[in-house]
Coordinates of all heavy atoms in Angstrom, one line a residue:
M318 N -4.9 -5.2 -34.1 CA -5.7 -4.3 -33.4 C -5.3 -4.2 -32.0 O -5.1 -5.2 -31.3 CB -7.2 -4.8 -33.5 CG -8.1 -3.9 -32.8 SD -9.7 -4.2 -33.5 CE -10.7 -4.7 -32.2
A319 N -5.1 -3.0 -31.4 CA -4.6 -2.8 -30.0 C -5.8 -3.1 -29.1 O -6.9 -2.8 -29.3 CB -4.1 -1.4 -29.8
C320 N -5.4 -3.7 -28.0 CA -6.4 -4.1 -26.9 C -6.1 -3.2 -25.7 O -5.0 -3.2 -25.2 CB -6.3 -5.5 -26.6 SG -7.4 -6.0 -25.3
D321 N -7.1 -2.4 -25.3 CA -6.9 -1.6 -24.1 C -7.0 -2.5 -22.9 O -7.9 -3.3 -22.7 CB -8.0 -0.5 -24.0 CG -7.8 0.5 -25.1 OD1 -6.7 0.8 -25.4 OD2 -8.8 1.1 -25.5
R322 N -6.0 -2.4 -22.0 CA -6.0 -3.2 -20.8 C -5.7 -2.3 -19.6 O -5.0 -1.3 -19.7 CB -4.9 -4.3 -20.9 CG -5.1 -5.3 -21.9 CD -4.0 -6.3 -21.9 NE -4.3 -7.3 -22.9 CZ -3.5 -8.4 -23.1 NH1 -2.5 -8.6 -22.3 NH2 -3.8 -9.2 -24.0
M323 N -6.3 -2.7 -18.5 CA -6.1 -1.9 -17.3 C -4.6 -2.1 -16.9 O -4.1 -3.2 -16.8 CB -7.0 -2.4 -16.2 CG -6.8 -1.8 -14.8 SD -7.2 -0.1 -14.7 CE -9.0 -0.2 -14.6
K324 N -4.0 -1.0 -16.6 CA -2.6 -1.1 -16.0 C -2.7 -1.3 -14.5 O -3.7 -0.9 -13.9 CB -1.8 0.1 -16.3 CG -1.7 0.3 -17.9 CD -0.6 1.3 -18.2 CE -0.5 1.5 -19.6 NZ 0.1 0.4 -20.3
F325 N -1.7 -1.9 -13.9 CA -1.8 -2.2 -12.5 C -0.4 -2.0 -11.9 O 0.6 -2.0 -12.6 CB -2.3 -3.5 -12.1 CG -1.4 -4.7 -12.5 CD1 -0.5 -5.2 -11.5 CD2 -1.4 -5.2 -13.7 CE1 0.3 -6.2 -11.8 CE2 -0.6 -6.3 -14.0 CZ 0.3 -6.8 -13.1
L326 N -0.4 -1.8 -10.6 CA 0.9 -1.7 -9.8 C 0.7 -2.5 -8.5 O -0.3 -2.3 -7.8 CB 1.1 -0.2 -9.5 CG 2.4 0.2 -8.7 CD1 3.6 -0.2 -9.6 CD2 2.4 1.6 -8.4
T327 N 1.7 -3.4 -8.3 CA 1.7 -4.2 -7.1 C 2.4 -3.4 -6.0 O 3.5 -2.9 -6.2 CB 2.4 -5.5 -7.3 OG1 1.6 -6.3 -8.3 CG2 2.4 -6.3 -6.0
I328 N 1.7 -3.2 -4.9 CA 2.2 -2.5 -3.7 C 2.0 -3.4 -2.5 O 1.0 -4.0 -2.3 CB 1.5 -1.2 -3.5 CG1 1.7 -0.3 -4.8 CG2 2.0 -0.4 -2.3 CD1 0.9 1.0 -4.8
R329 N 3.1 -3.4 -1.6 CA 3.0 -4.2 -0.4 C 2.0 -3.6 0.6 O 1.8 -2.4 0.6 CB 4.3 -4.3 0.3 CG 5.4 -5.1 -0.5 CD 6.7 -5.1 0.2 NE 7.6 -5.8 -0.6 CZ 8.9 -5.7 -0.4 NH1 9.4 -5.0 0.5 NH2 9.7 -6.5 -1.2
Q330 N 1.4 -4.5 1.3 CA 0.6 -4.0 2.4 C 1.5 -3.6 3.6 O 2.6 -4.2 3.7 CB -0.4 -5.2 3.0 CG -1.5 -5.5 2.0 CD -2.6 -4.4 2.0 OE1 -2.3 -3.2 2.2 NE2 -3.8 -4.8 1.8
P331 N 1.2 -2.7 4.4 CA -0.1 -1.9 4.5 C -0.2 -0.7 3.6 O -1.2 0.0 3.6 CB 0.0 -1.5 6.0 CG 1.4 -1.3 6.3 CD 2.1 -2.4 5.4
W332 N 0.9 -0.5 2.8 CA 0.8 0.7 1.9 C -0.3 0.7 0.9 O -0.9 1.7 0.6 CB 2.2 0.9 1.2 CG 3.3 0.7 2.1 CD1 4.2 -0.3 2.2 CD2 3.7 1.6 3.2 NE1 5.1 -0.1 3.2 CE2 4.8 1.1 3.8 CE3 3.2 2.8 3.6 CZ2 5.4 1.7 4.9 CZ3 3.8 3.4 4.7 CH2 4.9 2.9 5.3
A333 N -0.6 -0.5 0.3 CA -1.7 -0.6 -0.6 C -3.0 -0.2 0.0 O -3.9 0.5 -0.6 CB -1.8 -2.0 -1.2
Q334 N -3.2 -0.7 1.3 CA -4.5 -0.4 2.0 C -4.6 1.2 2.2 O -5.7 1.7 2.1 CB -4.5 -1.1 3.3 CG -5.7 -0.9 4.2 CD -6.9 -1.5 3.5 OE1 -6.8 -2.5 2.8 NE2 -8.1 -1.0 3.8
L335 N -3.5 1.8 2.5 CA -3.5 3.3 2.7 C -3.9 4.0 1.5 O -4.6 5.0 1.5 CB -2.2 3.7 3.3 CG -1.9 3.2 4.7 CD1 -0.5 3.7 5.1 CD2 -2.9 3.6 5.7
I336 N -3.4 3.5 0.3 CA -3.8 4.1 -1.0 C -5.3 3.9 -1.2 O -6.0 4.8 -1.6 CB -3.0 3.5 -2.1 CG1 -1.5 4.0 -2.0 CG2 -3.6 3.9 -3.5 CD1 -0.6 3.3 -2.9
A337 N -5.8 2.7 -0.9 CA -7.2 2.3 -1.2 C -8.2 3.2 -0.3 O -9.2 3.5 -0.8 CB -7.4 0.8 -0.9
V338 N -7.8 3.5 0.9 CA -8.7 4.3 1.7 C -8.4 5.8 1.6 O -9.1 6.6 2.2 CB -8.6 3.9 3.2 CG1 -9.0 2.4 3.4 CG2 -7.2 4.2 3.8
G339 N -7.5 6.2 0.7 CA -7.3 7.6 0.5 C -6.3 8.3 1.4 O -6.2 9.5 1.4
A340 N -5.6 7.5 2.3 CA -4.7 8.1 3.3 C -3.3 8.4 2.7 O -2.6 9.2 3.2 CB -4.6 7.3 4.5
K341 N -3.0 7.6 1.6 CA -1.7 7.8 1.0 C -1.9 8.3 -0.5 O -2.5 7.6 -1.3 CB -0.9 6.4 0.9 CG 0.5 6.5 0.4 CD 1.1 5.1 0.6 CE 2.6 5.1 0.3 NZ 3.0 5.6 -1.0
H342 N -1.5 9.5 -0.8 CA -1.8 10.1 -2.1 C -0.6 10.0 -3.1 O -0.8 10.2 -4.3 CB -2.1 11.5 -1.9 CG -3.3 11.7 -1.0 ND1 -3.3 12.3 0.2 CD2 -4.6 11.3 -1.2 CE1 -4.5 12.3 0.7 NE2 -5.3 11.7 -0.1
I343 N 0.6 9.7 -2.6 CA 1.8 9.8 -3.4 C 2.5 8.4 -3.3 O 2.7 7.9 -2.2 CB 2.7 10.9 -3.0 CG1 2.0 12.2 -3.2 CG2 4.0 10.9 -3.9 CD1 2.8 13.4 -2.7
E344 N 2.9 7.9 -4.5 CA 3.7 6.6 -4.5 C 4.9 7.0 -5.4 O 4.7 7.4 -6.5 CB 2.9 5.5 -5.1 CG 3.7 4.2 -5.3 CD 4.2 3.5 -4.1 OE1 3.7 3.9 -2.9 OE2 5.0 2.7 -4.2
T345 N 6.1 6.8 -4.8 CA 7.3 7.1 -5.6 C 7.9 5.8 -6.1 O 7.9 4.8 -5.4 CB 8.3 7.9 -4.8 OG1 8.6 7.2 -3.6 CG2 7.7 9.3 -4.4
R346 N 8.5 5.9 -7.3 CA 9.2 4.7 -7.9 C 10.4 5.2 -8.5 O 10.6 6.4 -8.9 CB 8.3 4.1 -9.0 CG 7.0 3.5 -8.4 CD 7.3 2.2 -7.8 NE 6.3 1.8 -6.9 CZ 6.0 0.5 -6.7 NH1 6.6 -0.5 -7.3 NH2 5.1 0.2 -5.8
P347 N 11.4 4.4 -8.7 CA 12.7 4.8 -9.3 C 12.6 5.0 -10.8 O 13.6 5.4 -11.5 CB 13.7 3.7 -9.0 CG 12.8 2.5 -8.9 CD 11.5 3.0 -8.3
F348 N 11.4 4.8 -11.4 CA 11.3 5.0 -12.9 C 10.2 6.1 -13.1 O 9.3 6.2 -12.3 CB 10.9 3.7 -13.6 CG 9.7 3.0 -13.0 CD1 8.4 3.3 -13.4 CD2 9.9 2.0 -12.0 CE1 7.4 2.6 -12.8 CE2 8.8 1.4 -11.4 CZ 7.5 1.7 -11.8
S349 N 10.3 6.7 -14.2 CA 9.2 7.7 -14.6 C 8.2 7.1 -15.5 O 8.5 6.1 -16.1 CB 9.8 9.0 -15.2 OG 10.5 8.6 -16.4
T350 N 7.1 7.7 -15.6 CA 6.0 7.2 -16.5 C 5.3 8.4 -17.1 O 5.1 9.4 -16.4 CB 5.0 6.3 -15.8 OG1 4.1 5.8 -16.8 CG2 4.3 6.9 -14.7
K351 N 4.9 8.3 -18.3 CA 4.1 9.4 -19.0 C 2.6 9.0 -18.9 O 1.8 9.7 -19.3 CB 4.5 9.5 -20.4 CG 5.9 10.1 -20.5 CD 6.3 10.3 -22.0 CE 7.7 10.9 -22.0 NZ 8.1 11.2 -23.4
Y352 N 2.4 7.8 -18.4 CA 1.0 7.3 -18.3 C 0.2 8.1 -17.4 O 0.6 8.5 -16.3 CB 1.0 5.8 -17.8 CG -0.4 5.3 -17.6 CD1 -1.2 4.9 -18.7 CD2 -1.0 5.2 -16.4 CE1 -2.5 4.5 -18.6 CE2 -2.3 4.8 -16.2 CZ -3.0 4.4 -17.3 OH -4.3 3.9 -17.2
R353 N -1.0 8.4 -17.8 CA -2.0 9.1 -17.0 C -3.3 8.4 -17.2 O -3.7 8.1 -18.3 CB -2.2 10.6 -17.4 CG -0.9 11.4 -17.2 CD -0.5 11.5 -15.7 NE 0.7 12.2 -15.5 CZ 1.9 11.7 -15.3 NH1 2.1 10.4 -15.4 NH2 3.0 12.4 -15.1
G354 N -4.1 8.2 -16.1 CA -5.4 7.5 -16.2 C -5.6 6.5 -15.1 O -4.9 6.5 -14.1
P355 N -6.5 5.6 -15.3 CA -6.8 4.6 -14.3 C -5.7 3.6 -14.1 O -5.0 3.2 -15.0 CB -8.1 4.0 -14.8 CG -8.1 4.2 -16.3 CD -7.4 5.5 -16.5
L356 N -5.5 3.2 -12.8 CA -4.5 2.3 -12.4 C -5.0 1.4 -11.3 O -5.5 1.9 -10.3 CB -3.2 3.1 -12.0 CG -2.1 2.2 -11.5 CD1 -1.4 1.6 -12.7 CD2 -1.1 3.1 -10.7
A357 N -5.0 0.1 -11.5 CA -5.4 -0.8 -10.5 C -4.3 -1.0 -9.5 O -3.1 -1.1 -9.8 CB -5.8 -2.1 -11.1
I358 N -4.7 -1.0 -8.2 CA -3.7 -1.2 -7.1 C -3.9 -2.6 -6.7 O -4.9 -3.1 -6.2 CB -4.0 -0.2 -5.9 CG1 -3.9 1.2 -6.3 CG2 -3.0 -0.5 -4.8 CD1 -2.5 1.6 -6.9
H359 N -2.8 -3.4 -6.8 CA -2.7 -4.8 -6.5 C -2.0 -4.9 -5.2 O -0.8 -4.5 -5.1 CB -2.1 -5.6 -7.6 CG -1.8 -7.0 -7.2 ND1 -0.6 -7.5 -6.8 CD2 -2.7 -8.1 -7.2 CE1 -0.7 -8.8 -6.5 NE2 -1.9 -9.2 -6.8
A360 N -2.6 -5.4 -4.1 CA -2.0 -5.7 -2.8 C -1.1 -7.0 -3.0 O -1.7 -8.0 -3.3 CB -3.0 -5.8 -1.7
G361 N 0.2 -6.9 -2.8 CA 1.0 -8.0 -2.9 C 0.7 -9.1 -1.8 O 0.0 -8.8 -0.8
K362 N 1.2 -10.3 -2.1 CA 0.9 -11.4 -1.2 C 1.8 -11.4 0.1 O 1.5 -12.0 1.1 CB 1.1 -12.7 -1.9 CG 0.1 -13.0 -2.9 CD 0.4 -14.3 -3.7 CE -0.7 -15.3 -3.6 NZ -0.3 -16.5 -4.4
S363 N 3.0 -10.7 0.0 CA 3.9 -10.8 1.1 C 3.4 -10.1 2.3 O 2.8 -9.1 2.3 CB 5.2 -10.1 0.6 OG 6.1 -10.0 1.7
R364 N 3.7 -10.8 3.4 CA 3.3 -10.3 4.7 C 4.6 -9.9 5.5 O 4.5 -9.5 6.7 CB 2.5 -11.3 5.5 CG 1.1 -11.5 4.8 CD 0.4 -12.7 5.4 NE -0.6 -13.2 4.5 CZ -1.9 -12.9 4.7 NH1 -2.3 -12.3 5.8 NH2 -2.8 -13.3 3.9
S365 N 5.7 -10.0 4.9 CA 7.0 -9.7 5.6 C 7.1 -8.3 6.2 O 7.7 -8.1 7.3 CB 8.2 -10.0 4.7 OG 8.2 -9.1 3.6
W366 N 6.5 -7.3 5.5 CA 6.6 -6.0 6.0 C 5.8 -5.7 7.3 O 6.1 -4.8 8.0 CB 6.2 -5.0 4.9 CG 7.2 -4.7 3.9 CD1 7.5 -5.5 2.8 CD2 8.2 -3.7 3.9 NE1 8.6 -5.0 2.1 CE2 9.0 -3.9 2.8 CE3 8.4 -2.6 4.7 CZ2 10.0 -3.0 2.5 CZ3 9.4 -1.7 4.4 CH2 10.2 -1.9 3.3
L367 N 4.8 -6.5 7.5 CA 4.0 -6.3 8.7 C 4.8 -6.5 9.9 O 4.6 -5.8 10.9 CB 2.8 -7.3 8.7 CG 1.8 -7.0 7.5 CD1 0.7 -8.1 7.6 CD2 1.2 -5.7 7.6
S368 N 5.7 -7.5 9.9 CA 6.5 -7.7 11.1 C 7.6 -6.7 11.3 O 8.1 -6.5 12.4 CB 7.1 -9.1 11.1 OG 8.0 -9.2 10.0
R369 N 7.9 -5.9 10.3 CA 9.0 -4.9 10.4 C 8.4 -3.5 10.8 O 9.2 -2.7 11.2 CB 9.7 -4.8 9.0 CG 10.4 -6.0 8.6 CD 11.1 -5.7 7.4 NE 11.3 -7.0 6.7 CZ 11.5 -7.1 5.4 NH1 11.6 -6.0 4.6 NH2 11.6 -8.3 4.8
E370 N 7.1 -3.4 10.8 CA 6.5 -2.1 11.1 C 6.0 -2.1 12.5 O 5.4 -3.0 13.0 CB 5.4 -1.7 10.2 CG 5.8 -1.5 8.7 CD 6.6 -0.2 8.6 OE1 6.4 0.7 9.3 OE2 7.4 -0.2 7.7
D371 N 6.3 -1.0 13.2 CA 5.8 -0.8 14.6 C 4.6 0.1 14.5 O 4.6 1.2 14.2 CB 6.9 -0.1 15.5 CG 6.4 0.0 16.9 OD1 5.3 -0.3 17.3 OD2 7.3 0.5 17.7
A372 N 3.4 -0.6 14.8 CA 2.1 0.1 14.6 C 2.0 1.4 15.5 O 1.4 2.4 15.2 CB 1.0 -0.8 15.0
A373 N 2.7 1.4 16.7 CA 2.7 2.5 17.6 C 3.4 3.7 17.0 O 3.0 4.9 17.4 CB 3.3 2.1 18.9
E374 N 4.3 3.6 16.1 CA 5.0 4.7 15.5 C 4.3 5.3 14.3 O 4.6 6.4 13.9 CB 6.4 4.2 15.0 CG 7.3 3.8 16.1 CD 8.7 3.4 15.5 OE1 8.9 3.4 14.3 OE2 9.5 3.0 16.4
W375 N 3.3 4.7 13.8 CA 2.6 5.2 12.6 C 2.0 6.5 12.7 O 2.2 7.4 11.8 CB 1.6 4.1 12.1 CG 2.3 3.2 11.2 CD1 3.3 2.3 11.4 CD2 1.9 2.9 9.8 NE1 3.6 1.6 10.3 CE2 2.8 2.0 9.3 CE3 1.0 3.5 8.9 CZ2 2.8 1.5 8.0 CZ3 0.9 3.0 7.7 CH2 1.8 2.0 7.2
P376 N 1.2 6.8 13.7 CA 0.6 8.2 13.8 C 1.6 9.3 13.7 O 1.4 10.3 13.0 CB -0.1 8.1 15.2 CG -0.5 6.7 15.3 CD 0.8 6.0 14.8
D377 N 2.8 9.2 14.4 CA 3.8 10.2 14.4 C 4.6 10.2 13.1 O 4.9 11.3 12.5 CB 4.8 10.0 15.6 CG 4.2 10.4 16.9 OD1 3.2 11.1 16.9 OD2 4.7 9.9 17.9
R378 N 4.9 9.0 12.5 CA 5.7 9.0 11.3 C 4.9 9.3 10.1 O 5.4 10.0 9.2 CB 6.3 7.5 11.2 CG 7.4 7.3 12.1 CD 7.9 5.9 11.9 NE 8.6 5.7 10.6 CZ 9.0 4.5 10.1 NH1 8.8 3.4 10.8 NH2 9.5 4.5 8.9
Y379 N 3.6 8.8 10.0 CA 2.9 8.9 8.8 C 1.6 9.7 8.9 O 0.9 10.0 7.9 CB 2.5 7.5 8.2 CG 3.8 6.7 8.0 CD1 4.0 5.5 8.8 CD2 4.7 7.0 7.0 CE1 5.1 4.7 8.6 CE2 5.8 6.2 6.9 CZ 6.0 5.1 7.6 OH 7.1 4.3 7.4
G380 N 1.2 10.0 10.1 CA 0.0 10.8 10.3 C -1.3 10.0 10.2 O -2.4 10.6 10.2
V381 N -1.2 8.7 10.2 CA -2.4 7.8 10.1 C -2.1 6.6 11.0 O -0.9 6.3 11.3 CB -2.7 7.3 8.7 CG1 -3.1 8.4 7.8 CG2 -1.5 6.5 8.1
A382 N -3.2 5.9 11.4 CA -3.0 4.7 12.2 C -2.7 3.5 11.3 O -3.0 3.5 10.1 CB -4.3 4.4 13.0
F383 N -1.9 2.6 11.8 CA -1.6 1.4 11.1 C -2.9 0.6 10.8 O -3.7 0.4 11.7 CB -0.7 0.5 12.0 CG 0.0 -0.6 11.2 CD1 1.1 -0.5 10.5 CD2 -0.6 -1.9 11.3 CE1 1.7 -1.5 9.9 CE2 0.0 -3.0 10.6 CZ 1.2 -2.8 9.9
P384 N -3.1 0.2 9.6 CA -4.4 -0.5 9.3 C -4.4 -1.9 10.0 O -3.4 -2.5 10.2 CB -4.3 -0.8 7.8 CG -3.2 0.1 7.3 CD -2.3 0.4 8.4
S385 N -5.6 -2.3 10.4 CA -5.7 -3.5 11.2 C -5.5 -4.7 10.2 O -5.8 -4.6 9.0 CB -7.1 -3.7 11.8 OG -8.1 -3.9 10.8
K386 N -4.9 -5.7 10.7 CA -4.6 -6.9 9.8 C -5.9 -7.5 9.2 O -5.9 -8.1 8.1 CB -3.8 -7.9 10.6 CG -2.4 -7.4 10.9 CD -1.6 -8.4 11.7 CE -0.3 -7.7 12.0 NZ 0.5 -8.6 12.9
Q387 N -7.0 -7.4 9.9 CA -8.3 -7.9 9.4 C -8.8 -7.1 8.2 O -9.6 -7.6 7.4 CB -9.4 -7.9 10.5 CG -9.1 -8.8 11.7 CD -8.2 -8.1 12.8 OE1 -7.6 -7.1 12.5 NE2 -8.2 -8.7 14.0
D388 N -8.4 -5.8 8.1 CA -8.9 -5.0 7.0 C -8.0 -5.1 5.8 O -8.4 -4.6 4.7 CB -8.9 -3.5 7.5 CG -10.0 -3.2 8.5 OD1 -10.9 -3.9 8.6 OD2 -9.8 -2.2 9.2
M389 N -6.9 -5.7 5.9 CA -6.0 -5.8 4.8 C -6.2 -7.1 4.0 O -6.4 -8.2 4.5 CB -4.5 -5.8 5.2 CG -4.1 -4.4 5.7 SD -2.3 -4.3 6.0 CE -2.3 -4.8 7.8
V390 N -6.2 -6.9 2.7 CA -6.4 -8.0 1.7 C -5.0 -8.2 1.0 O -4.3 -7.3 0.8 CB -7.4 -7.7 0.7 CG1 -7.5 -8.8 -0.4 CG2 -8.8 -7.5 1.3
F391 N -4.6 -9.5 0.8 CA -3.4 -9.8 0.1 C -3.6 -10.6 -1.2 O -4.5 -11.4 -1.3 CB -2.5 -10.7 1.1 CG -2.2 -10.0 2.4 CD1 -3.0 -10.0 3.4 CD2 -1.0 -9.3 2.5 CE1 -2.7 -9.3 4.6 CE2 -0.7 -8.6 3.6 CZ -1.5 -8.6 4.7
G392 N -2.8 -10.2 -2.2 CA -2.8 -11.0 -3.4 C -4.1 -10.7 -4.3 O -4.5 -11.6 -5.0
A393 N -4.5 -9.4 -4.2 CA -5.8 -9.1 -5.0 C -5.7 -7.6 -5.4 O -5.0 -6.8 -4.8 CB -7.0 -9.4 -4.2
I394 N -6.5 -7.3 -6.4 CA -6.8 -5.9 -6.7 C -7.7 -5.3 -5.7 O -8.8 -5.9 -5.4 CB -7.4 -5.7 -8.1 CG1 -6.6 -6.4 -9.2 CG2 -7.8 -4.3 -8.4 CD1 -5.3 -5.7 -9.5
I395 N -7.3 -4.2 -5.0 CA -8.1 -3.7 -3.9 C -8.6 -2.3 -4.2 O -9.4 -1.8 -3.4 CB -7.3 -3.7 -2.6 CG1 -6.1 -2.8 -2.6 CG2 -7.0 -5.1 -2.2 CD1 -5.5 -2.6 -1.3
A396 N -8.1 -1.6 -5.3 CA -8.6 -0.3 -5.6 C -8.2 0.1 -7.0 O -7.3 -0.5 -7.6 CB -8.0 0.7 -4.6
V397 N -8.9 1.1 -7.5 CA -8.5 1.7 -8.8 C -8.4 3.2 -8.5 O -9.3 3.8 -7.9 CB -9.6 1.4 -9.9 CG1 -9.2 2.2 -11.2 CG2 -9.8 -0.1 -10.2
V398 N -7.2 3.7 -8.9 CA -6.9 5.1 -8.7 C -6.7 5.8 -10.1 O -6.6 5.1 -11.1 CB -5.7 5.3 -7.8 CG1 -5.9 4.7 -6.4 CG2 -4.5 4.7 -8.4
R399 N -6.6 7.1 -10.1 CA -6.3 7.8 -11.3 C -4.9 8.4 -11.2 O -4.7 9.2 -10.2 CB -7.3 8.8 -11.6 CG -7.1 9.6 -12.9 CD -8.3 10.3 -13.4 NE -9.4 9.5 -13.6 CZ -9.5 8.7 -14.8 NH1 -8.6 8.8 -15.7 NH2 -10.6 8.0 -15.0
V400 N -4.0 8.1 -12.1 CA -2.7 8.8 -12.1 C -2.8 10.1 -12.8 O -3.3 10.2 -13.9 CB -1.7 7.9 -12.8 CG1 -0.3 8.5 -12.9 CG2 -1.6 6.5 -12.2
V401 N -2.4 11.1 -12.1 CA -2.4 12.5 -12.6 C -1.1 13.2 -12.7 O -0.2 12.8 -12.0 CB -3.4 13.4 -11.8 CG1 -4.8 12.9 -11.9 CG2 -3.0 13.5 -10.4

């Protein structure tokens, strides 16, 4: 008997946070999927990307402010989205 399980995708912060708050609508990957439906967003544990990003550049580059470090969660499911 098949067991339905929630599918998930691990995404590094701060990108996962932007998906969770609705500021990032598209995630590209090198593989395709026919899956459509609910998808849990897992914020990865790595904090390495935070030091590589310049928060001052975010509004011009991405159209949103860099999320505050206090608002970001690491190593946990932070949102459920629908893949369409």
